[in-house]
Amino acid sequence: MPHKLCYRRREKKQLRQTKAANIPNRTSIHERPAEANGKRFGDWEMDLIVDSCQRVILTLVERSTNFLMMEKIKTGKKSEPIAKTVVRLLMPYRKTVKTITTDNGSEFASHQLITKGLHMKGKDDVIVYFADAYSSWQKGCVENTNKLIRRYIPKHTNFNLVSPQKIMNIQKKLNNRPREKLNFDTPKFCFFKNFD
């Protein structure tokens, strides 16, 4: 992996208690079903990539296939527009969406709008689960994907200079990139074979 040598192993720190008072009705990752371990199809992770002026790109990754969806959010870190964007991006696949995992940023405080927007009669609600504080490894799939995106959009890039077309091209490249995890199939192939 391109970033494999950048990190040294450190001793595991004791998990800090997550207060996250800014997120009403937050559901901890410790309540997430055991089946949502990254092998089952339909479990997602979400995150934001942020520039120095707080402009953001939303990233959504399906854990079992590494399939990526990303979009620039014009309103920055406001939680309601982010929630509405998540619903719009996942709407075509909502029959298969089971869980979403994210961090404790206030930008995800409108998580109940996501649950409501993806609700389907006769199907369990899509719950947004929140990782522990300072535990980015609990949503490692989206974190690793963000590192790959940063090869195309380096840190200190002004997102105003990143066109929607460029974002779509990055998404397309990463979704068509063979992965060892997928026996060298592509995320796109593995994702869409679940809809045959």
Side-chain angles (χ1 to χ4, degrees):
M1 293 297 289
H3 52 267
K4 198 171 189 178
L5 299 176
C6 297
Y7 299 94
R8 290 175 293 182
R9 288 207 181 272
R10 296 181 183 163
E11 290 180 29
K12 278 194 175 180
K13 293 181 181 177
Q14 190 174 3
L15 289 179
R16 298 184 192 186
Q17 191 65 33
T18 303
K19 293 177 183 167
N22 56 335
I23 301 177
N25 301 311
R26 173 188 174 279
T27 307
S28 168
I29 193 170
H30 299 290
E31 296 176 45
R32 191 176 68 180
E35 311 88 73
N37 59 3
K39 295 178 181 176
R40 168 181 85 169
F41 182 73
D43 296 303
W44 292 77
E45 293 178 4
M46 69 178 170
D47 201 4
L48 295 180
I49 300 174
V50 186
D51 76 1
S52 56
C53 295
Q54 301 300 299
R55 291 176 284 256
V56 301
I57 296 172
L58 170 71
T59 56
L60 283 160
V61 181
E62 198 286 317
R63 297 179 72 201
S64 69
T65 62
N66 283 38
F67 183 77
L68 165 69
M69 290 191 286
M70 56 190 291
E71 187 169 309
K72 186 160 64 170
I73 310 286
K74 292 179 181 175
T75 53
K77 294 173 93 172
K78 292 182 181 172
S79 65
E80 277 195 38
I82 289 171
K84 287 175 183 175
T85 303
V86 171
V87 170
R88 179 171 47 77
L89 291 174
L90 292 179
M91 185 61 72
Y93 316 111
R94 72 177 175 158
K95 284 184 182 178
T96 64
V97 178
K98 295 178 175 72
T99 68
I100 302 173
T101 303
T102 191
D103 59 33
N104 295 285
S106 59
E107 59 269 21
F108 300 121
S110 296
H111 63 97
Q112 290 172 297
L113 286 180
I114 298 172
T115 300
K116 186 178 178 183
L118 295 175
H119 174 76
M120 286 183 72
K121 203 171 183 179
K123 178 181 174 288
D124 289 341
D125 278 341
V126 176
I127 305 296
V128 178
Y129 294 93
F130 291 86
D132 293 317
Y134 309 102
S135 302
S136 57
W137 54 270
Q138 291 178 336
K139 54 181 186 72
C141 190
V142 75
E143 294 287 347
N144 287 332
T145 301
N146 287 349
K147 287 175 194 164
L148 295 176
I149 293 167
R150 282 297 192 184
R151 296 178 71 194
Y152 300 96
I153 308 173
K155 286 194 173 185
H156 310 298
T157 300
N158 179 345
F159 288 176
N160 281 344
L161 305 177
V162 181
S163 68
Q165 186 60 48
K166 179 170 183 176
I167 289 172
M168 288 304 294
N169 287 342
I170 295 167
Q171 178 180 304
K172 189 174 177 182
K173 279 182 184 176
L174 293 179
N175 284 335
N176 285 297
R177 174 182 172 160
R179 306 290 176 92
E180 184 177 359
K181 166 187 171 178
L182 305 173
N183 294 319
F184 297 100
D185 282 328
T186 66
K188 182 179 178 182
F189 172 80
C190 292
F191 182 81
F192 285 106
K193 79 178 181 182
N194 288 282
F195 299 92
D196 293 342

